[in-house]
PDB file of all heavy atoms in Angstrom:
ATOM      1  N   ALA P   1     -99.053  55.292  73.423  1.00 96.00           N
ATOM      2  CA  ALA P   1     -98.595  56.452  72.654  1.00 96.00           C
ATOM      3  C   ALA P   1     -99.214  57.744  73.189  1.00 96.00           C
ATOM      4  O   ALA P   1     -98.537  58.777  73.281  1.00 96.00           O
ATOM      5  CB  ALA P   1     -98.943  56.268  71.177  1.00 96.00           C
ATOM      6  N   LEU P   2    -100.477  57.687  73.556  1.00 97.00           N
ATOM      7  CA  LEU P   2    -101.138  58.861  74.120  1.00 97.00           C
ATOM      8  C   LEU P   2    -100.550  59.236  75.476  1.00 97.00           C
ATOM      9  O   LEU P   2    -100.271  60.412  75.748  1.00 97.00           O
ATOM     10  CB  LEU P   2    -102.640  58.593  74.257  1.00 97.00           C
ATOM     11  CG  LEU P   2    -103.447  58.580  72.957  1.00 97.00           C
ATOM     12  CD1 LEU P   2    -104.812  57.933  73.187  1.00 97.00           C
ATOM     13  CD2 LEU P   2    -103.620  59.997  72.417  1.00 97.00           C
ATOM     14  N   GLU P   3    -100.349  58.229  76.323  1.00 96.00           N
ATOM     15  CA  GLU P   3     -99.805  58.513  77.664  1.00 96.00           C
ATOM     16  C   GLU P   3     -98.416  59.125  77.559  1.00 96.00           C
ATOM     17  O   GLU P   3     -98.086  60.088  78.267  1.00 96.00           O
ATOM     18  CB  GLU P   3     -99.758  57.233  78.490  1.00 96.00           C
ATOM     19  CG  GLU P   3     -99.319  57.471  79.924  1.00 96.00           C
ATOM     20  CD  GLU P   3     -99.328  56.210  80.769  1.00 96.00           C
ATOM     21  OE1 GLU P   3     -99.710  55.128  80.262  1.00 96.00           O
ATOM     22  OE2 GLU P   3     -98.924  56.311  81.941  1.00 96.00           O
ATOM     23  N   GLU P   4     -97.592  58.577  76.676  1.00 95.00           N
ATOM     24  CA  GLU P   4     -96.234  59.094  76.529  1.00 95.00           C
ATOM     25  C   GLU P   4     -96.217  60.468  75.861  1.00 95.00           C
ATOM     26  O   GLU P   4     -95.202  61.165  75.915  1.00 95.00           O
ATOM     27  CB  GLU P   4     -95.379  58.104  75.745  1.00 95.00           C
ATOM     28  CG  GLU P   4     -95.136  56.814  76.518  1.00 95.00           C
ATOM     29  CD  GLU P   4     -94.292  55.817  75.758  1.00 95.00           C
ATOM     30  OE1 GLU P   4     -93.908  56.106  74.603  1.00 95.00           O
ATOM     31  OE2 GLU P   4     -94.005  54.739  76.315  1.00 95.00           O
ATOM     32  N   SER P   5     -97.336  60.850  75.252  1.00 95.00           N
ATOM     33  CA  SER P   5     -97.463  62.190  74.672  1.00 95.00           C
ATOM     34  C   SER P   5     -98.071  63.174  75.662  1.00 95.00           C
ATOM     35  O   SER P   5     -98.336  64.330  75.314  1.00 95.00           O
ATOM     36  CB  SER P   5     -98.328  62.134  73.405  1.00 95.00           C
ATOM     37  OG  SER P   5     -97.749  61.289  72.437  1.00 95.00           O
ATOM     38  N   GLY P   6     -98.337  62.717  76.889  1.00 96.00           N
ATOM     39  CA  GLY P   6     -98.915  63.582  77.911  1.00 96.00           C
ATOM     40  C   GLY P   6    -100.427  63.678  77.870  1.00 96.00           C
ATOM     41  O   GLY P   6    -101.014  64.461  78.623  1.00 96.00           O
ATOM     42  N   ARG P   7    -101.065  62.875  77.015  1.00 97.00           N
ATOM     43  CA  ARG P   7    -102.525  62.914  76.880  1.00 97.00           C
ATOM     44  C   ARG P   7    -103.118  61.782  77.724  1.00 97.00           C
ATOM     45  O   ARG P   7    -103.655  60.798  77.215  1.00 97.00           O
ATOM     46  CB  ARG P   7    -102.899  62.812  75.405  1.00 97.00           C
ATOM     47  CG  ARG P   7    -102.349  63.983  74.600  1.00 97.00           C
ATOM     48  CD  ARG P   7    -102.238  63.708  73.107  1.00 97.00           C
ATOM     49  NE  ARG P   7    -103.532  63.488  72.469  1.00 97.00           N
ATOM     50  CZ  ARG P   7    -103.669  63.282  71.157  1.00 97.00           C
ATOM     51  NH1 ARG P   7    -102.598  63.303  70.363  1.00 97.00           N
ATOM     52  NH2 ARG P   7    -104.864  63.076  70.637  1.00 97.00           N
ATOM     53  N   VAL P   8    -103.022  61.940  79.042  1.00 97.00           N
ATOM     54  CA  VAL P   8    -103.293  60.837  79.953  1.00 97.00           C
ATOM     55  C   VAL P   8    -104.771  60.454  79.976  1.00 97.00           C
ATOM     56  O   VAL P   8    -105.113  59.268  80.016  1.00 97.00           O
ATOM     57  CB  VAL P   8    -102.792  61.181  81.370  1.00 97.00           C
ATOM     58  CG1 VAL P   8    -103.110  60.046  82.341  1.00 97.00           C
ATOM     59  CG2 VAL P   8    -101.289  61.446  81.346  1.00 97.00           C
ATOM     60  N   GLU P   9    -105.667  61.434  79.943  1.00 98.00           N
ATOM     61  CA  GLU P   9    -107.098  61.108  79.991  1.00 98.00           C
ATOM     62  C   GLU P   9    -107.504  60.295  78.770  1.00 98.00           C
ATOM     63  O   GLU P   9    -108.297  59.342  78.874  1.00 98.00           O
ATOM     64  CB  GLU P   9    -107.930  62.386  80.097  1.00 98.00           C
ATOM     65  CG  GLU P   9    -107.751  63.141  81.409  1.00 98.00           C
ATOM     66  CD  GLU P   9    -108.045  62.278  82.626  1.00 98.00           C
ATOM     67  OE1 GLU P   9    -108.986  61.465  82.567  1.00 98.00           O
ATOM     68  OE2 GLU P   9    -107.336  62.428  83.637  1.00 98.00           O
ATOM     69  N   GLU P  10    -106.976  60.654  77.604  1.00 98.00           N
ATOM     70  CA  GLU P  10    -107.268  59.875  76.397  1.00 98.00           C
ATOM     71  C   GLU P  10    -106.662  58.485  76.503  1.00 98.00           C
ATOM     72  O   GLU P  10    -107.245  57.502  76.036  1.00 98.00           O
ATOM     73  CB  GLU P  10    -106.719  60.590  75.163  1.00 98.00           C
ATOM     74  CG  GLU P  10    -107.415  61.891  74.831  1.00 98.00           C
ATOM     75  CD  GLU P  10    -106.741  62.611  73.676  1.00 98.00           C
ATOM     76  OE1 GLU P  10    -106.979  62.221  72.512  1.00 98.00           O
ATOM     77  OE2 GLU P  10    -105.961  63.559  73.943  1.00 98.00           O
ATOM     78  N   ALA P  11    -105.486  58.394  77.123  1.00 97.00           N
ATOM     79  CA  ALA P  11    -104.844  57.092  77.314  1.00 97.00           C
ATOM     80  C   ALA P  11    -105.707  56.195  78.191  1.00 97.00           C
ATOM     81  O   ALA P  11    -105.901  55.009  77.897  1.00 97.00           O
ATOM     82  CB  ALA P  11    -103.466  57.277  77.932  1.00 97.00           C
ATOM     83  N   ILE P  12    -106.241  56.763  79.272  1.00 98.00           N
ATOM     84  CA  ILE P  12    -107.111  55.989  80.159  1.00 98.00           C
ATOM     85  C   ILE P  12    -108.282  55.411  79.377  1.00 98.00           C
ATOM     86  O   ILE P  12    -108.644  54.237  79.528  1.00 98.00           O
ATOM     87  CB  ILE P  12    -107.615  56.876  81.321  1.00 98.00           C
ATOM     88  CG1 ILE P  12    -106.466  57.203  82.276  1.00 98.00           C
ATOM     89  CG2 ILE P  12    -108.764  56.204  82.066  1.00 98.00           C
ATOM     90  CD1 ILE P  12    -106.821  58.217  83.351  1.00 98.00           C
ATOM     91  N   GLU P  13    -108.865  56.228  78.521  1.00 98.00           N
ATOM     92  CA  GLU P  13    -110.008  55.771  77.723  1.00 98.00           C
ATOM     93  C   GLU P  13    -109.616  54.586  76.834  1.00 98.00           C
ATOM     94  O   GLU P  13    -110.381  53.614  76.721  1.00 98.00           O
ATOM     95  CB  GLU P  13    -110.517  56.934  76.862  1.00 98.00           C
ATOM     96  CG  GLU P  13    -111.744  56.596  76.043  1.00 98.00           C
ATOM     97  CD  GLU P  13    -112.266  57.781  75.256  1.00 98.00           C
ATOM     98  OE1 GLU P  13    -111.831  58.927  75.537  1.00 98.00           O
ATOM     99  OE2 GLU P  13    -113.101  57.567  74.355  1.00 98.00           O
ATOM    100  N   GLU P  14    -108.439  54.654  76.216  1.00 97.00           N
ATOM    101  CA  GLU P  14    -108.016  53.565  75.337  1.00 97.00           C
ATOM    102  C   GLU P  14    -107.671  52.308  76.123  1.00 97.00           C
ATOM    103  O   GLU P  14    -107.974  51.189  75.685  1.00 97.00           O
ATOM    104  CB  GLU P  14    -106.841  53.996  74.467  1.00 97.00           C
ATOM    105  CG  GLU P  14    -107.171  55.102  73.486  1.00 97.00           C
ATOM    106  CD  GLU P  14    -108.323  54.761  72.544  1.00 97.00           C
ATOM    107  OE1 GLU P  14    -108.496  53.567  72.207  1.00 97.00           O
ATOM    108  OE2 GLU P  14    -109.050  55.684  72.140  1.00 97.00           O
ATOM    109  N   TYR P  15    -107.033  52.461  77.275  1.00 97.00           N
ATOM    110  CA  TYR P  15    -106.747  51.286  78.111  1.00 97.00           C
ATOM    111  C   TYR P  15    -108.050  50.608  78.524  1.00 97.00           C
ATOM    112  O   TYR P  15    -108.159  49.372  78.512  1.00 97.00           O
ATOM    113  CB  TYR P  15    -105.956  51.696  79.357  1.00 97.00           C
ATOM    114  CG  TYR P  15    -104.531  52.139  79.108  1.00 97.00           C
ATOM    115  CD1 TYR P  15    -103.967  53.163  79.881  1.00 97.00           C
ATOM    116  CD2 TYR P  15    -103.745  51.545  78.126  1.00 97.00           C
ATOM    117  CE1 TYR P  15    -102.649  53.575  79.664  1.00 97.00           C
ATOM    118  CE2 TYR P  15    -102.432  51.956  77.909  1.00 97.00           C
ATOM    119  CZ  TYR P  15    -101.902  52.974  78.684  1.00 97.00           C
ATOM    120  OH  TYR P  15    -100.606  53.381  78.474  1.00 97.00           O
ATOM    121  N   GLU P  16    -109.044  51.418  78.898  1.00 98.00           N
ATOM    122  CA  GLU P  16    -110.340  50.844  79.287  1.00 98.00           C
ATOM    123  C   GLU P  16    -110.993  50.114  78.105  1.00 98.00           C
ATOM    124  O   GLU P  16    -111.590  49.050  78.271  1.00 98.00           O
ATOM    125  CB  GLU P  16    -111.266  51.950  79.812  1.00 98.00           C
ATOM    126  CG  GLU P  16    -110.807  52.588  81.127  1.00 98.00           C
ATOM    127  CD  GLU P  16    -111.012  51.696  82.333  1.00 98.00           C
ATOM    128  OE1 GLU P  16    -111.374  50.513  82.167  1.00 98.00           O
ATOM    129  OE2 GLU P  16    -110.795  52.195  83.453  1.00 98.00           O
ATOM    130  N   ARG P  17    -110.886  50.700  76.916  1.00 97.00           N
ATOM    131  CA  ARG P  17    -111.443  50.042  75.733  1.00 97.00           C
ATOM    132  C   ARG P  17    -110.730  48.724  75.440  1.00 97.00           C
ATOM    133  O   ARG P  17    -111.351  47.751  75.002  1.00 97.00           O
ATOM    134  CB  ARG P  17    -111.338  50.968  74.519  1.00 97.00           C
ATOM    135  CG  ARG P  17    -112.313  52.138  74.527  1.00 97.00           C
ATOM    136  CD  ARG P  17    -112.180  52.947  73.252  1.00 97.00           C
ATOM    137  NE  ARG P  17    -113.136  54.036  73.185  1.00 97.00           N
ATOM    138  CZ  ARG P  17    -113.256  54.866  72.157  1.00 97.00           C
ATOM    139  NH1 ARG P  17    -112.473  54.724  71.096  1.00 97.00           N
ATOM    140  NH2 ARG P  17    -114.152  55.835  72.180  1.00 97.00           N
ATOM    141  N   SER P  18    -109.419  48.696  75.664  1.00 96.00           N
ATOM    142  CA  SER P  18    -108.688  47.453  75.414  1.00 96.00           C
ATOM    143  C   SER P  18    -109.155  46.360  76.371  1.00 96.00           C
ATOM    144  O   SER P  18    -109.211  45.184  76.005  1.00 96.00           O
ATOM    145  CB  SER P  18    -107.177  47.672  75.546  1.00 96.00           C
ATOM    146  OG  SER P  18    -106.775  47.799  76.887  1.00 96.00           O
ATOM    147  N   ILE P  19    -109.515  46.749  77.597  1.00 97.00           N
ATOM    148  CA  ILE P  19    -110.026  45.782  78.569  1.00 97.00           C
ATOM    149  C   ILE P  19    -111.413  45.293  78.165  1.00 97.00           C
ATOM    150  O   ILE P  19    -111.757  44.122  78.369  1.00 97.00           O
ATOM    151  CB  ILE P  19    -110.033  46.405  79.977  1.00 97.00           C
ATOM    152  CG1 ILE P  19    -108.591  46.620  80.453  1.00 97.00           C
ATOM    153  CG2 ILE P  19    -110.804  45.535  80.966  1.00 97.00           C
ATOM    154  CD1 ILE P  19    -108.475  47.446  81.718  1.00 97.00           C
ATOM    155  N   VAL P  20    -112.215  46.172  77.584  1.00 96.00           N
ATOM    156  CA  VAL P  20    -113.523  45.750  77.077  1.00 96.00           C
ATOM    157  C   VAL P  20    -113.335  44.699  75.975  1.00 96.00           C
ATOM    158  O   VAL P  20    -114.026  43.682  75.936  1.00 96.00           O
ATOM    159  CB  VAL P  20    -114.318  46.957  76.542  1.00 96.00           C
ATOM    160  CG1 VAL P  20    -115.575  46.488  75.810  1.00 96.00           C
ATOM    161  CG2 VAL P  20    -114.701  47.889  77.693  1.00 96.00           C
ATOM    162  N   ASP P  21    -112.365  44.951  75.073  1.00 95.00           N
ATOM    163  CA  ASP P  21    -112.094  44.000  73.994  1.00 95.00           C
ATOM    164  C   ASP P  21    -111.513  42.698  74.536  1.00 95.00           C
ATOM    165  O   ASP P  21    -111.776  41.624  73.985  1.00 95.00           O
ATOM    166  CB  ASP P  21    -111.112  44.599  72.980  1.00 95.00           C
ATOM    167  CG  ASP P  21    -111.752  45.664  72.102  1.00 95.00           C
ATOM    168  OD1 ASP P  21    -112.995  45.785  72.129  1.00 95.00           O
ATOM    169  OD2 ASP P  21    -111.018  46.369  71.381  1.00 95.00           O
ATOM    170  N   ASN P  22    -110.712  42.794  75.595  1.00 95.00           N
ATOM    171  CA  ASN P  22    -110.084  41.612  76.181  1.00 95.00           C
ATOM    172  C   ASN P  22    -109.952  41.811  77.683  1.00 95.00           C
ATOM    173  O   ASN P  22    -108.995  42.442  78.148  1.00 95.00           O
ATOM    174  CB  ASN P  22    -108.707  41.359  75.554  1.00 95.00           C
ATOM    175  CG  ASN P  22    -107.995  40.179  76.204  1.00 95.00           C
ATOM    176  OD1 ASN P  22    -108.587  39.414  76.964  1.00 95.00           O
ATOM    177  ND2 ASN P  22    -106.718  40.023  75.914  1.00 95.00           N
ATOM    178  N   PRO P  23    -110.891  41.285  78.477  1.00 94.00           N
ATOM    179  CA  PRO P  23    -110.848  41.489  79.938  1.00 94.00           C
ATOM    180  C   PRO P  23    -109.566  40.976  80.586  1.00 94.00           C
ATOM    181  O   PRO P  23    -109.250  41.376  81.697  1.00 94.00           O
ATOM    182  CB  PRO P  23    -112.071  40.704  80.426  1.00 94.00           C
ATOM    183  CG  PRO P  23    -113.004  40.688  79.252  1.00 94.00           C
ATOM    184  CD  PRO P  23    -112.111  40.580  78.050  1.00 94.00           C
ATOM    185  N   GLN P  24    -108.840  40.084  79.904  1.00 93.00           N
ATOM    186  CA  GLN P  24    -107.600  39.554  80.437  1.00 93.00           C
ATOM    187  C   GLN P  24    -106.384  40.377  80.016  1.00 93.00           C
ATOM    188  O   GLN P  24    -105.242  39.935  80.154  1.00 93.00           O
ATOM    189  CB  GLN P  24    -107.408  38.098  79.959  1.00 93.00           C
ATOM    190  CG  GLN P  24    -108.529  37.175  80.357  1.00 93.00           C
ATOM    191  CD  GLN P  24    -108.739  37.126  81.855  1.00 93.00           C
ATOM    192  OE1 GLN P  24    -107.789  36.897  82.606  1.00 93.00           O
ATOM    193  NE2 GLN P  24    -109.958  37.330  82.312  1.00 93.00           N
ATOM    194  N   MET P  25    -106.605  41.598  79.522  1.00 94.00           N
ATOM    195  CA  MET P  25    -105.511  42.455  79.047  1.00 94.00           C
ATOM    196  C   MET P  25    -104.757  43.006  80.252  1.00 94.00           C
ATOM    197  O   MET P  25    -104.950  44.140  80.688  1.00 94.00           O
ATOM    198  CB  MET P  25    -106.082  43.585  78.193  1.00 94.00           C
ATOM    199  CG  MET P  25    -105.046  44.329  77.371  1.00 94.00           C
ATOM    200  SD  MET P  25    -104.358  43.274  76.090  1.00 94.00           S
ATOM    201  CE  MET P  25    -103.241  44.416  75.288  1.00 94.00           C
ATOM    202  N   SER P  26    -103.873  42.185  80.792  1.00 95.00           N
ATOM    203  CA  SER P  26    -103.203  42.528  82.046  1.00 95.00           C
ATOM    204  C   SER P  26    -102.347  43.778  81.923  1.00 95.00           C
ATOM    205  O   SER P  26    -102.227  44.552  82.883  1.00 95.00           O
ATOM    206  CB  SER P  26    -102.359  41.347  82.522  1.00 95.00           C
ATOM    207  OG  SER P  26    -101.436  40.946  81.528  1.00 95.00           O
ATOM    208  N   LYS P  27    -101.745  44.010  80.744  1.00 95.00           N
ATOM    209  CA  LYS P  27    -100.903  45.196  80.582  1.00 95.00           C
ATOM    210  C   LYS P  27    -101.714  46.477  80.719  1.00 95.00           C
ATOM    211  O   LYS P  27    -101.228  47.475  81.254  1.00 95.00           O
ATOM    212  CB  LYS P  27    -100.192  45.150  79.230  1.00 95.00           C
ATOM    213  CG  LYS P  27     -99.096  44.103  79.137  1.00 95.00           C
ATOM    214  CD  LYS P  27     -98.424  44.146  77.781  1.00 95.00           C
ATOM    215  CE  LYS P  27     -97.202  43.227  77.741  1.00 95.00           C
ATOM    216  NZ  LYS P  27     -97.527  41.828  77.991  1.00 95.00           N
TER     217      LYS P  27
END
């Protein structure tokens, strides 16, 4: 939702957090 709103840096942070929660988060 952040990336599609143009807030790419915040999106990167959330994607990284999702990987911390689940290292196998391939998406």
Side-chain angles (χ1 to χ4, degrees):
L2 287 164
E3 185 178 358
E4 292 180 358
S5 300
R7 298 159 64 177
V8 178
E9 293 304 322
E10 293 175 79
I12 290 172
E13 183 177 347
E14 295 303 329
Y15 290 145
E16 293 286 8
R17 287 183 177 182
S18 74
I19 292 170
V20 171
D21 286 349
N22 177 12
Q24 302 302 308
M25 194 67 178
S26 56
K27 289 181 172 60

